[in-house]
Amino acid sequence: MTGMLKVMLINGVIDDTLHITFVIAHRHGTFKNWRAGHDTFHSCCYRPSTASKVCYDGGSTQKKAWHWTVNNTSNERPSTSSHSAWSQYWRRGHLHSCPGAFQGNYEDSIREFWHSTFADLGEHSRVLDIGTGNGAIARLALDFAASRGFNWQIEGIDAADIQSAGIPVNSGQCTLTLRGNQSSELLDHADDSVNLVTSQYAIEYTRVDLSLAQVARVLVPGGIAAFIVHHTDANIVTVSRNELAFFDYFYQQLNLFGESRELIQHFDTSGLISNPTLIASDPNAKEIMQRIQRQLSSITDFSHMHPDCGFARDIGTQFASTLNAIPRAGRANTEHVLQVLEQEMAAHAARIQANIDAAHDEQAIAKLIQQASQSGLENLSLSPLHRSSGELLGWALRFRRAV
């Protein structure tokens, strides 16, 4: 396919002495030699894969956690708390959890679902968005209402420490406010105070029974609750499983962080950073680099076996470009880059693990509907939600509080 990204194994050369084979994604399978000091070398720096369409959304419950240290020596995935992982994600300024799949705010069938939900509200309404992130669904509501001259009060809450919290947004007669560090399992809203509760890829991360009880409590009689929930068969979840398999492979079979730190230390103590021309004649440096080369090659093999796992390609590229830059960057800067990468990987693993744990099959979605009924919410509709291309996005549900 024209323009499709392919993963190739090519050779990185720095100062004509340090040779590290690394993974690089580029178009049309063209081979190039990337060399430090050339502008083209910077094309191999880390960037999110355009082929990966992974979605993430903020939740409040920490499902899995492992003790994390910078210098991980075990064969388990290092991790961080769910709250920290999502706070870190939203602080980067992402509007929503599908930055690779939607440019700007949500479009296609997701936007259509929410617009059809908003259409049932009156001119003066109050909307509460649960697990709002940086307010994607809340902003859809704001734009919808403002374009019609309505007077809506819209609030988005999230368990994470979200970037835009506390900064009101006004549009026409409508106001949008976001609040972080707020649990949907214990809302501070008054009874019978909200006309619509929304949640996309969020309520399923919580104690659903507690959240649904709170939703029913704050809704006015006849008020609507609408959710989009992760589906176990959705592409979002399939990609997450592949990426989690990569993390398990990376930490159980490889030792790239350890080998990389050993290489940095050896370069520093042997004077190779200040005099890189000696690298080619240093047997210890060559031995460490050969071990790193083999591990980067195995990442390439993994990415070929799991073409949806763009994250594996990105990690290989990041390691290679970081290590190739040791003589220029120095020990402290290179160690800092590796530390940040390790933290990013731990946070990413926590998010995709939560995504997998939260996904609902037919049995789980039936239980959710039963729990909603027990809380006083009548199910109005349930259907799988697909993009216009046919890709499964999740479950779409609507409920009404009994009058």
Side-chain angles (χ1 to χ4, degrees):
M1 181 181 297
T2 303
M4 177 174 287
L5 291 176
K6 296 183 178 180
V7 179
M8 300 294 176
L9 203 61
I10 62 180
N11 198 50
V13 183
I14 184 165
D15 294 333
D16 297 320
T17 55
L18 172 60
H19 297 263
I20 296 181
T21 303
F22 59 93
V23 179
I24 181 72
H26 62 97
R27 297 184 184 278
H28 309 306
T30 304
F31 286 91
K32 292 183 180 180
N33 286 322
W34 302 88
R35 178 173 175 173
H38 289 192
D39 292 339
T40 52
F41 179 82
H42 300 288
S43 297
C44 73
C45 67
Y46 173 74
R47 59 174 59 85
S49 169
T50 57
S52 180
K53 296 181 179 179
V54 184
C55 290
Y56 320 98
D57 260 280
S60 65
T61 303
Q62 179 180 339
K63 300 276 185 137
K64 299 263 182 123
W66 298 265
H67 180 66
W68 177 81
T69 59
V70 172
N71 296 302
N72 179 55
T73 57
S74 72
N75 62 354
E76 293 185 354
R77 281 181 273 128
S79 188
T80 187
S81 72
S82 179
H83 177 274
S84 175
W86 285 110
S87 297
Q88 182 177 334
Y89 180 83
W90 297 122
R91 280 197 297 268
R92 294 198 202 102
H94 298 298
L95 176 59
H96 53 71
S97 61
C98 305
F102 296 93
Q103 298 298 321
N105 209 336
Y106 288 112
E107 301 170 342
D108 204 83
S109 55
I110 289 181
R111 183 186 292 261
E112 292 171 6
F113 172 80
W114 290 118
H115 276 199
S116 65
T117 299
F118 300 149
D120 292 333
L121 296 185
E123 180 178 352
H124 301 277
S125 296
R126 187 176 180 191
V127 178
L128 173 63
D129 183 42
I130 290 174
T132 195
N134 279 327
I137 306 307
R139 293 173 194 276
L140 288 181
L142 179 70
D143 293 343
F144 180 93
S147 68
R148 289 159 176 78
F150 290 170
N151 183 354
W152 286 11
Q153 302 303 307
I154 305 161
E155 182 180 16
I157 64 168
D158 201 285
D161 185 13
I162 55 179
Q163 182 190 46
S164 305
I167 305 174
V169 178
N170 298 309
S171 182
Q173 302 180 71
C174 300
T175 301
L176 165 62
T177 305
L178 302 181
R179 290 194 295 151
N181 299 301
Q182 302 294 315
S183 172
S184 63
E185 299 162 12
L186 188 62
L187 296 174
D188 59 4
H189 300 69
D191 295 355
D192 308 334
S193 61
V194 176
N195 302 97
L196 171 66
V197 175
T198 62
S199 172
Q200 179 166 313
Y201 303 142
I203 199 168
E204 64 269 37
Y205 289 79
T206 73
R207 274 285 304 275
V208 175
D209 56 339
L210 298 181
S211 294
L212 289 173
Q214 289 293 300
V215 169
R217 179 183 65 80
V218 302
L219 279 173
V220 299
I224 300 297
F227 310 138
I228 295 178
V229 174
H230 283 302
H231 194 302
T232 52
D233 296 331
N235 182 63
I236 296 167
V237 180
T238 299
V239 172
S240 292
R241 291 193 190 100
N242 287 339
E243 294 203 346
L244 200 65
F246 168 72
F247 277 112
D248 288 336
Y249 172 75
F250 182 92
Y251 287 107
Q252 293 173 13
Q253 304 296 325
L254 307 180
N255 185 30
L256 266 175
F257 280 113
E259 301 281 13
S260 298
R261 290 189 172 104
E262 182 180 350
L263 182 66
I264 295 168
Q265 182 179 8
H266 181 73
F267 272 31
D268 185 36
T269 57
S270 301
L272 300 180
I273 291 179
S274 58
N275 194 356
T277 58
L278 300 177
I279 294 174
S281 59
D282 188 303
N284 291 331
K286 293 173 70 174
E287 179 186 351
I288 300 170
M289 287 187 289
Q290 286 172 358
R291 296 200 300 264
I292 292 174
Q293 288 176 2
R294 288 193 293 269
Q295 293 183 61
L296 291 174
S297 296
S298 71
I299 292 179
T300 302
D301 295 338
F302 184 95
S303 66
H304 286 157
M305 294 173 61
H306 303 277
D308 287 337
C309 189
F311 191 73
R313 297 190 295 272
D314 295 337
I315 291 301
T317 301
Q318 177 72 340
F319 267 100
S321 59
T322 299
L323 297 178
N324 273 299
I326 293 174
R328 289 185 292 110
R331 178 172 184 171
N333 288 336
T334 307
E335 287 180 338
H336 175 71
V337 170
L338 287 179
Q339 180 179 343
V340 171
L341 178 59
E342 195 162 26
Q343 292 171 338
E344 292 284 349
M345 289 179 66
H348 188 59
R351 291 190 294 267
I352 62 176
Q353 180 69 70
N355 169 272
I356 294 167
D357 291 343
H360 279 46
D361 58 14
E362 290 186 1
Q363 183 177 359
I365 209 70
K367 181 179 179 181
L368 186 153
I369 292 174
Q370 181 183 22
Q371 291 172 321
S373 177
Q374 292 170 348
S375 298
L377 298 172
E378 173 193 3
N379 182 233
L380 300 178
S381 63
L382 164 67
S383 62
L385 184 67
H386 295 84
R387 292 186 81 160
S388 56
S389 63
E391 177 185 341
L392 179 61
L393 295 170
W395 298 99
L397 307 94
R398 290 192 183 95
F399 300 89
R400 176 187 290 120
R401 182 189 161 183
V403 177

